[in-house]
Amino acid sequence: MNYRQLRDPNAEYTMRDLSGETMGLNQDRGHRDVEITDVQTVIVDGNYPWTLVRVYTDSGHVGNGEAYWGGALPEIIERLTPFVVGENPLDIDRLYEHMIQKMSGEGSIAGKDIAAISGIELALHDVVGKILDVPAYQLLGGKYRDAIRVYCDCHTEEEADPEACAEEAERVVDDLGYDALKFDLDVPSGHEKDRANRHLRTPEIEHKAEIVERVTERVGDRADVAFDCHWAFSAGSARRLARRLEAYDVWWLEDPVPPENHDVQQTVTQSTGTPIAVGENVYRTHGQRRLIEEEALDIIAPDVPKVGGMRETRKIATLADLYYVPVAMHNVSSPIGTMASAHVGSAIPNALALEYHSYELGWWEELVEEDDLIQDGYMAVPERPGLGLTLDLDTVADHLAEGETMFDEA
């Protein structure tokens, strides 16, 4: 199936066509007169199926990006490609809105459409930075910090064992040098009666509290520790759990209830002194707006290659800053998406931390030519053009998902 030629009347006719031709953009830009010639994807089989995105230009500059993992993304990005080929990549805002509008009939307010658009948007920041010879954070308004604090998403083979979690926390702090961690709380306790109803019985809550107690006591003031619930619990159970954890030094409790019902999220957050973080399953600034304005969270956690891209995350951070809310970016990406998030973190005042979810994957950093991306729990933001990373194409080729083929040469 050639998705580039898939017919869609909504995309073919829209009163709000933002193409350069329709907008009458024909002024000479000198050396900045560059056109996009192609967009391509490959899926790398990492600890997630990472969708890497490449934007090619007639100047010879190539930009690398990443869309949030999962199925259907290459097809959607192929569908989007005709809307950006022939356009000037420097018009990042306009091209982002152009893709949103062109895909409006296919649901570009959330979901896979936004993740696909995000992947192209990240690649645009990389290629534009290379064309202008500036790092990507400069395109977002400049720098607040040289490096972003990284929190390590921790796991153990016995993830429901409080002592095993405490031992892993101590190892990650002492041996790996992180001072910020996260553990999962949506783990089996052995006390479950029904896994479908989202209800937590008292023994289940006590089991989760024991994990929190053991981990936070083991690391003490050497590290901040957050705990993730992955949208698993009912409203009443989430309130009871959050209140039970008020006795401990919890950095934040993440996604205690499903993301669809804003009113329930607001009630849970405002019922407890335990800080609540949400946002990874909400799309664009429009989706995050009520969470921020109605104080339904304490910390916002957008995922850059999923929420709409780098500039969209910058907009979310600006709105959050009006309400004095810090930003802890969710992240399960390869080095490409992770570094894009780090550039955002460098450019916003309210950046709290950036997630790292691949510490058990031995070749994560080998996907790019640069070394020592994370040192002592921080990710330095390069001064090199664009994202400042160079894909190691041999490593990409070694880890392609089944059936995938490599990018074309630059």
Side-chain angles (χ1 to χ4, degrees):
M1 177 66 187
N2 186 344
Y3 288 92
R4 299 189 186 198
Q5 295 180 359
L6 184 65
R7 185 172 181 274
D8 178 356
N10 286 59
E12 293 166 5
Y13 172 77
T14 170
M15 290 297 293
R16 195 168 180 263
D17 187 321
L18 300 180
S19 67
E21 181 181 5
T22 302
M23 297 298 293
L25 300 179
N26 53 24
Q27 187 171 354
D28 182 13
R29 306 192 200 188
H31 74 281
R32 293 178 290 111
D33 263 335
V34 180
E35 289 189 4
I36 296 170
T37 58
D38 200 7
V39 181
Q40 297 181 13
T41 64
V42 300
I43 296 180
V44 173
D45 189 14
N47 56 326
Y48 288 84
W50 299 317
T51 301
L52 303 183
V53 183
R54 268 198 156 179
V55 168
Y56 295 79
T57 68
D58 63 358
S59 67
H61 296 97
V62 174
N64 297 308
E66 181 172 355
Y68 188 84
W69 67 275
L73 289 165
E75 291 82 1
I76 297 173
I77 291 170
E78 186 178 355
R79 175 86 179 89
L80 287 161
T81 297
F83 306 145
V84 297
V85 166
E87 295 285 348
N88 191 316
L90 279 78
D91 297 338
I92 299 176
D93 266 358
R94 179 178 61 80
L95 294 182
Y96 175 78
E97 291 295 334
H98 182 49
M99 289 186 285
I100 294 286
Q101 188 66 41
K102 283 289 190 179
M103 295 292 284
S104 60
E106 299 177 41
S108 59
I109 60 171
K112 296 292 186 179
D113 282 351
I114 297 302
I117 292 169
S118 300
I120 296 174
E121 197 260 13
L122 265 61
L124 290 175
H125 278 85
D126 190 38
V127 75
V128 170
K130 292 171 179 175
I131 292 168
L132 300 180
D133 197 27
V134 296
Y137 74 78
Q138 202 70 62
L139 304 174
L140 300 173
K143 182 188 287 187
Y144 279 89
R145 53 192 63 83
D146 289 331
I148 184 76
R149 189 183 186 195
V150 172
Y151 74 87
C152 186
D153 194 301
C154 302
H155 298 274
T156 127
E157 292 183 1
E158 302 173 70
E159 60 183 355
D161 180 359
E163 182 59 25
C165 292
E167 290 176 358
E168 180 65 358
E170 187 171 43
R171 185 185 78 86
V172 171
V173 171
D174 291 346
D175 296 348
L176 303 185
Y178 290 91
D179 66 358
L181 318 174
K182 187 168 76 174
F183 284 84
D184 292 343
L185 282 189
D186 57 323
V187 294
S189 67
H191 302 289
E192 292 82 10
K193 296 295 184 183
D194 187 327
R195 291 177 181 267
N197 62 25
R198 302 188 183 276
H199 178 70
L200 290 175
R201 301 170 60 240
T202 297
E204 296 174 76
I205 289 178
E206 291 305 312
H207 169 259
K208 298 180 192 314
E210 186 179 0
I211 293 175
V212 172
E213 180 178 27
R214 293 280 190 94
V215 170
T216 55
E217 287 186 353
R218 184 67 62 88
V219 301
D221 61 4
R222 293 178 296 155
D224 294 313
V225 189
F227 297 89
D228 199 343
C229 302
H230 292 111
W231 334 281
F233 308 133
S234 68
S237 294
R239 289 196 298 269
R240 290 169 59 221
L241 175 62
R243 289 169 181 163
R244 177 67 179 85
L245 300 184
E246 289 175 352
Y248 307 111
D249 186 16
V250 174
W251 199 15
W252 70 73
L253 186 66
E254 186 170 326
D255 290 321
V257 294
E260 296 91 346
N261 192 317
H262 168 85
D263 295 331
V264 171
Q265 179 64 65
Q266 182 182 32
T267 298
V268 169
T269 298
Q270 295 183 358
S271 72
T272 179
T274 298
I276 302 296
V278 297
E280 72 175 88
N281 264 348
V282 183
Y283 294 85
R284 305 186 67 204
T285 310
H286 292 292
Q288 309 279 1
R289 180 182 61 82
R290 286 187 66 198
L291 288 169
I292 297 168
E293 291 181 347
E294 298 181 17
E295 299 181 353
L297 47 68
D298 298 296
I299 296 164
I300 195 159
D303 190 298
V304 174
K306 181 181 185 181
V307 75
M310 296 171 69
R311 298 184 73 80
E312 191 72 9
T313 306
R314 178 74 169 84
K315 294 174 185 177
I316 292 166
T318 298
L319 179 59
D321 199 42
L322 297 179
Y323 291 81
Y324 318 125
V325 171
V327 179
M329 286 169 282
H330 180 266
N331 173 62
V332 294
S333 295
S334 80
I336 299 298
T338 304
M339 186 58 78
S341 299
H343 277 274
V344 175
S346 176
I348 61 176
N350 47 341
L352 182 63
L354 167 63
E355 183 173 12
Y356 174 52
H357 208 290
S358 304
Y359 78 116
E360 298 169 299
L361 187 69
W363 54 270
W364 182 84
E365 192 171 274
E366 295 174 14
L367 199 70
V368 295
E369 296 180 4
E370 291 73 20
D371 298 323
D372 301 323
L373 299 184
I374 300 173
Q375 297 186 64
D376 299 323
Y378 280 79
M379 190 170 203
V381 179
E383 288 299 319
R384 295 181 295 276
L387 297 181
L389 295 180
T390 307
L391 277 176
D392 187 311
L393 297 180
D394 290 335
T395 303
V396 172
D398 288 344
H399 294 281
L400 287 179
E402 185 177 354
E404 287 291 286
T405 57
M406 278 294 290
F407 295 120
D408 287 346
E409 293 185 10

